[in-house]
């Protein structure tokens, strides 16, 4: 059974990837410093995997912690790297922290991969690498744009590092997955998004408002160049995002070309106001909405062309936005007993 090191594995996306890996016969090994995740999620992962899943408290900027993990686990067949800060708004307020954590961890992990001769590496990237493109439907050939936030810049820098790594170490095979906007929760209701404090992402803000934790939902910006004035994004179910990582590992096993990048989205754009309306409709929950100013770092509209992922990885989204919004609501309601 192939062992896959999953950094940030108790986080929102990482926890779903761990379950997807186990389902497909891989053995996930989780490293997390728990700075942005809840320790209790580890037991939920084990429950859904149906077997023991090792979880190490380790910061990816600490190579000795990674070495200790390797010494205890033995050979690692691949790495999926998700451990990073991910808030656009927070990165604007705290740029140094984002450079230190996101680029610093990537640098140390790269050295660890080289030292340990780990042949396969999947990097968690983001559609923010495109900046504010001239076209709204972006392909993998769309060039990097000006980074609108420090977060976006860190993803660009880390992707560039993967290219340099492969040039220096031709035996290493790398895929970068450019996520668009992951939403939803595990259909079991046992895993989902757990933001600390006031959410930065749309869906937990919606569900917390719906359950009464927030008095109202704020829509940031009404004057974007979109049909209803709110931002347009490509919202993709987190379980579909998780499945893309399984497909990426399968691709790397026989890859002739590396590094490769793939857009991971639905290929459709929905505005913030549309998502709010759909949530209320499918769940029968009215929401109090207020309007606020634009947030620094947000772009008007962007959504994915996913033809390459479909053709090369044999991957495409299977859940609808309605599915994701239902699952997110069920997860939020379950938190009363978390």
């Amino acid at each position: 059974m192939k062992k896959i090191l999953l950094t940030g594995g108790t986080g929102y996306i990482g926890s779903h990837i761990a379950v997807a890996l186990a389902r497909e016969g891989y053995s996930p090994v989780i490293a997390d410093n728990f700075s942005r995740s809840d320790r209790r999620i580890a037991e939920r992962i084990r429950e859904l995997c149906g077997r023991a899943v090792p979880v190490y408290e380790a910061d990816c900027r600490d190579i000795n912690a990674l070495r200790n993990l390797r010494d205890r686990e033995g050979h690692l067949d691949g790495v999926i790297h998700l451990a990073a800060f991910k808030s656009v708004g927070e990165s604007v307020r705290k740029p140094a922290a984002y450079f230190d954590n996101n680029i610093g961890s990537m640098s140390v992990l790269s050295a660890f991969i080289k030292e340990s001769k780990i042949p396969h590496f999947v990097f968690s990237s983001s559609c923010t690498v495109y900046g504010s493109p001239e076209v709204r439907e972006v392909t993998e050939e769309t060039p990097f744009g000006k980074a609108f936030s420090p977060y976006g810049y860190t993803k660009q820098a880390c992707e560039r590092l993967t290219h340099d790594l492969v040039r220096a170490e031709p035996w290493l095979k790398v895929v970068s997955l450019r996520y668009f906007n992951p939403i939803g929760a595990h259909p079991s209701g046992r895993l989902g998004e757990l933001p600390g404090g006031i959410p930065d992402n749309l869906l937990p803000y919606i569900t917390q408002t719906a359950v009464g934790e927030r008095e109202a939902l704020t829509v940031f910006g009404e004057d974007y160049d979109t049909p209803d004035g709110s931002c347009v994004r490509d919202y993709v179910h987190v379980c579909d995002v998780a499945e893309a990582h399984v497909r990426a590992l399968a691709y790397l096993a026989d890859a002739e070309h590396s590094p490769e990048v793939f857009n991971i989205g639905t290929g459709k754009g929905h505005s913030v106001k549309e998502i709010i309306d759909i949530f209320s409709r499918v769940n029968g929950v009215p929401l109090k909405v207020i309007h606020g100013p634009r947030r620094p770092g947000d772009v008007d509209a962007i959504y994915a062309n996913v033809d390459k992922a479909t053709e090369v990885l044999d991957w495409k989204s299977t859940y609808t936005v309605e599915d994701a919004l239902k699952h997110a609501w069920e997860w939020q309601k379950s938190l009363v007993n978390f």
Side-chain angles (χ1 to χ4, degrees):
M1 187 177 293
K2 291 185 177 180
K3 288 187 177 181
I4 306 299
L5 174 60
L6 183 57
T7 72
T10 60
Y12 173 44
I13 300 174
S15 59
H16 290 79
I17 294 173
V19 174
L21 287 172
R23 185 189 67 237
E24 295 300 321
Y26 294 94
S27 180
V29 177
I30 292 173
D32 207 311
N33 66 4
F34 300 104
S35 65
R36 302 291 171 102
S37 62
D38 192 300
R39 295 173 187 274
R40 292 172 290 178
I41 291 296
E43 194 53 44
R44 296 284 182 93
I45 293 170
R46 295 183 181 108
E47 171 193 324
L48 290 171
C49 289
R51 64 171 185 263
V53 175
V55 178
Y56 293 86
E57 184 166 1
D59 191 309
C60 289
R61 293 168 294 180
D62 182 353
I63 196 167
N64 288 325
L66 296 174
R67 287 167 175 159
N68 177 64
L69 179 156
R70 180 194 61 206
D71 291 345
R72 295 180 64 179
E73 291 294 328
H75 177 71
L76 298 166
D77 298 284
V79 174
I80 298 175
H81 180 43
L82 294 100
F85 295 160
K86 64 181 182 64
S87 166
V88 168
E90 183 186 52
S91 77
V92 173
R93 300 189 301 271
K94 301 177 180 179
Y98 272 67
F99 276 55
D100 175 55
N101 188 72
N102 293 8
I103 298 176
S105 64
M106 181 68 168
S107 177
V108 172
L109 185 63
S110 298
F112 174 72
I113 288 171
K114 177 182 176 181
E115 164 186 305
S116 305
K117 291 291 184 181
I118 302 172
H120 299 151
F121 181 34
V122 180
F123 173 61
S124 165
S125 190
S126 165
C127 65
T128 57
V129 299
Y130 297 116
S132 183
E134 294 180 3
V135 294
R136 294 183 171 187
E137 181 184 10
V138 296
T139 73
E140 291 82 356
E141 299 303 315
T142 303
F144 282 3
K146 177 183 178 182
F148 273 67
S149 68
Y151 167 73
Y153 180 81
T154 65
K155 290 300 183 182
Q156 291 179 342
C158 289
E159 274 204 36
R160 292 188 188 280
L161 179 54
T162 65
H163 285 256
D164 292 337
L165 279 173
V166 171
R167 189 177 298 114
E169 310 294 338
W171 52 267
L172 177 62
K173 296 179 180 179
V174 178
V175 159
S176 292
L177 299 180
R178 294 173 178 168
Y179 312 157
F180 279 67
N181 288 69
I183 59 171
H186 196 274
S188 68
R190 302 296 286 167
L191 293 176
E193 192 164 6
L194 274 175
I198 298 174
D200 287 296
N201 296 335
L202 176 61
L203 251 294
Y205 215 131
I206 288 176
T207 58
Q208 288 182 12
T209 303
V211 82
E213 290 185 18
R214 307 281 168 197
E215 181 179 347
L217 170 65
T218 303
V219 175
F220 295 100
E222 295 184 274
D223 59 349
Y224 288 100
D225 183 18
T226 61
D228 64 17
S230 64
C231 290
V232 170
R233 296 289 184 269
D234 187 333
Y235 295 94
V236 56
H237 198 292
V238 66
C239 288
D240 283 328
V241 174
E243 178 62 24
H245 294 76
V246 175
R247 301 295 178 92
L249 286 173
Y251 165 79
L252 287 174
D254 300 306
E256 296 180 2
H257 303 287
S258 175
E260 279 283 11
V261 298
F262 298 95
N263 287 338
I264 302 301
T266 65
K268 300 177 182 178
H270 288 85
S271 74
V272 169
K273 291 180 180 178
E274 284 178 320
I275 292 294
I276 294 169
D277 289 344
I278 295 170
F279 178 89
S280 293
R281 173 173 56 80
V282 300
N283 294 308
V285 182
L287 294 168
K288 180 181 179 181
V289 178
I290 60 177
H291 297 279
R294 291 189 182 200
R295 296 184 302 182
D298 279 342
V299 300
D300 289 16
I302 187 170
Y303 55 95
N305 179 303
V306 293
D307 290 348
K308 184 179 178 183
T310 301
E311 294 168 7
V312 179
L313 298 183
D314 192 26
W315 175 93
K316 63 180 178 179
S317 60
T318 58
Y319 290 97
T320 66
V321 166
E322 286 82 0
D323 293 332
L325 297 178
K326 288 178 183 178
H327 295 156
W329 180 227
E330 292 304 314
W331 163 249
Q332 179 67 58
K333 290 188 292 183
S334 78
L335 292 178
V336 68
N337 296 317
F338 185 69

